[in-house]
Amino acid sequence: ENYSAEDKYKIWMRHRYNDCVDGLAELMGHDSFQVKELALCTLMKFVELEAQYPLIKVEWKGSLTFPCELLKVVVDGLLPIDEDASLLISRFQEYMEYDDIRYFVIKAVTESIGQVMQKTKERPLPFYQQNVFSLIAPINMPNKESDMVKFMVKQDNREELKVSKLQAHKQAFEKMWLSFLKHKLPTGLYKKVLVILHDSILPYMNEPTLMIDFLTVAYGIGGAISLLALNGLFILIHQHNLEYPDFYKKLYSLLDPSIYHVKYRARFFHLADLFLSSSHLPAYLVAAFIKRLSRLALTAPPEALLMVIPFICNLFRRHPACKVLVHRPHGPEDMSEDPYIMEEEEPSRSRALESSLWEIQSLQNHYHPDVAKAAAVLNQSLSEIEDDLSGLLELSASELFDKEVKKKAVDVPLEFEQIRGLFGKKNDIFAEHFSL
């Protein structure tokens, strides 16, 4: 070995530096948050310095000198498998403002998912997947190339490098999300992903329709998650011309008694209103939705009824062909039974258009005066202007009660017969034996 003393010293120093990096990587898993944070910030300082003073010789002008390997060490430290690292990840977010750091973090995360998730045999890893989500959900993608001006490392010949190209960022971003979402997620995470899907993920993908597999799996989970998945599919259908034949059948199948009682009721009806806003929908389909909502309304609480009755009125305004449900030439008394088939999953075979809206008529005798008044609107001809549902979607039972309590009585009875006995009738046999 013919190394000079200086070369030997350099080699020794390089080994010490590598040991130091290994030690800091280990400390990112320390019990104390302060230690973790210091290790993270020191490693990021190393990333910055290595980028400015590369440890490898630049082979040709314009070649990339970014320390990807070192950044991968940091990313792996941010994504432990057995604990929640959200606090440390939030500390790391400031570095994600740099366009080059963000680009290489996206690539490192994709690599990490591939290495970690392939061993799980389709079982979710709740901590790891939650950590990945905490890291990638807040990513602020640039909208246009001219926005990309904040780089931690000043490369000489940036034009030739992918780091400065928006297309390359989008490709990396899309690949990362698809690799994250192709594995089965813990149930709670589906909801979190679907809530940010339309704002933070779809607009920055080159091929948004690739999300169809994920949305189909999410739809199969049921409840709020199914509805949010339909929202994603709706965006793909409208904005990206996706062909999805069973969309309305799937929405129809989500209508069950729970929709009036669950805490995400407001979101459900907001989205259902959006999905049914097109005036090109066939009358049989809208009539099936009207009938099913009305039938389920028979067991709904008053605050939900005050929202769904105007909702149904809006559907009549958009689709006048459905008005036969209310104004049938031969009234409902001619029907010995309702031809509508509640159990039928296919809206076209439910025979809704042959039916009448006796359910809303029976709500005109509801114990809550506001509900009875709202249901009576269908007896008159509807105005052209749609009802604004925004104030009614979030209506709660306690708000209804407060409103009733504050009402001032207008008609006061001037005479009344004092109640005697249990049932208040004159000469009641009970009154002789029981007194109140």
Side-chain angles (χ1 to χ4, degrees), residues 33-77:
F33 177 71
Q34 277 83 359
V35 175
K36 283 180 182 164
E37 188 181 21
L38 278 169
L40 170 70
C41 296
T42 311
L43 281 168
M44 286 311 290
K45 193 71 189 162
F46 283 2
V47 169
E48 189 180 350
L49 291 167
E50 261 197 52
Q52 284 170 7
Y53 310 103
L55 297 176
I56 43 171
K57 270 208 172 82
V58 178
E59 297 297 330
W60 65 90
K61 192 165 170 45
S63 70
L64 193 65
T65 53
F66 194 91
C68 302
E69 289 302 313
L70 184 56
L71 190 62
K72 175 79 166 67
V73 170
V74 177
V75 169
D76 287 343

Side-chain angles (χ1 to χ4, degrees), residues 81-298:
I81 290 172
D82 46 12
E83 65 169 331
D84 177 16
S86 51
L87 201 58
L88 192 61
I89 288 167
S90 62
R91 176 69 182 83
F92 181 72
Q93 289 304 333
E94 65 181 70
Y95 297 105
M96 296 287 268
E97 296 301 314
Y98 293 102
D99 293 298
D100 47 358
I101 294 279
R102 187 192 320 110
Y103 177 71
F104 291 111
V105 165
I106 286 173
K107 293 206 122 357
V109 169
T110 311
E111 204 182 318
S112 167
I113 294 167
Q115 290 163 348
V116 174
M117 292 309 292
Q118 64 175 347
K119 302 176 193 138
T120 69
K121 302 280 181 289
E122 285 311 303
R123 275 196 331 277
L125 275 177
F127 279 123
Y128 175 76
Q129 286 169 298
Q130 178 58 55
N131 288 335
V132 172
F133 182 76
S134 303
L135 180 58
I136 67 180
I139 287 179
N140 269 326
M141 283 288 281
N143 287 311
K144 47 189 190 294
E145 217 145 285
S146 54
D147 290 346
M148 293 164 55
V149 287
K150 194 176 179 188
F151 293 95
M152 184 181 258
V153 184
K154 310 285 181 279
Q155 297 284 350
D156 309 334
N157 196 351
R158 186 159 291 287
E159 276 58 56
E160 292 172 22
L161 298 173
K162 280 187 171 181
V163 191
S164 61
K165 296 276 179 277
L166 181 60
Q167 189 68 6
H169 280 245
K170 279 188 162 186
Q171 267 167 351
F173 181 79
E174 176 177 279
K175 191 176 171 193
M176 172 188 69
W177 272 108
L178 290 173
S179 64
F180 178 60
L181 297 177
K182 79 174 180 191
H183 299 284
K184 193 176 178 195
L185 299 178
T187 311
L189 257 188
Y190 279 102
K191 208 180 276 186
K192 291 181 184 173
V193 171
L194 290 164
V195 165
I196 65 164
L197 188 73
H198 59 292
D199 282 337
S200 310
I201 305 175
L202 290 179
Y204 304 106
M205 291 178 74
N206 288 326
E207 293 266 331
T209 44
L210 292 171
M211 291 300 264
I212 183 107
D213 290 345
F214 165 70
L215 290 167
T216 311
V217 170
Y219 171 80
I221 291 169
I225 295 173
S226 295
L227 181 79
L228 292 168
L230 283 185
N231 188 26
L233 286 168
F234 187 72
I235 292 164
L236 294 182
I237 291 166
H238 268 242
Q239 295 172 8
H240 304 282
N241 302 322
L242 175 78
E243 286 293 322
Y244 195 74
D246 283 347
F247 181 83
Y248 285 98
K249 182 182 168 186
K250 289 195 163 180
L251 178 62
Y252 186 70
S253 70
L254 288 182
L255 301 181
D256 63 22
S258 70
I259 56 166
Y260 291 126
H261 301 273
V262 286
K263 65 173 186 272
Y264 58 86
R265 184 184 73 211
R267 190 172 185 104
F268 185 99
F269 280 95
H270 171 71
L271 290 174
D273 192 42
L274 180 70
F275 302 154
L276 295 169
S277 57
S278 167
S279 53
H280 299 304
L281 297 174
Y284 75 80
L285 180 72
V286 180
F289 274 94
I290 290 173
K291 269 302 284 183
R292 194 157 180 141
L293 286 169
S294 307
R295 184 68 61 85
L296 295 171
L298 294 173

Side-chain angles (χ1 to χ4, degrees), residues 380-413:
Q380 301 126 31
S381 58
L382 291 171
S383 62
E384 291 296 306
I385 302 158
E386 287 195 9
D387 293 326
D388 179 21
L389 297 176
S390 53
L392 301 169
L393 289 175
E394 301 281 359
L395 198 64
S396 70
S398 52
E399 285 171 342
L400 265 188
F401 186 78
D402 291 346
K403 196 171 133 203
E404 283 299 315
V405 170
K406 287 174 186 152
K407 272 187 183 169
K408 292 273 187 288
V410 182
D411 303 324
V412 181

Side-chain angles (χ1 to χ4, degrees), residues 13-28:
M13 280 302 287
R14 178 67 58 87
H15 282 307
R16 298 293 68 74
Y17 173 69
N18 291 340
D19 289 345
C20 174
V21 169
D22 292 344
L24 287 166
E26 211 172 301
L27 288 174
M28 278 186 77

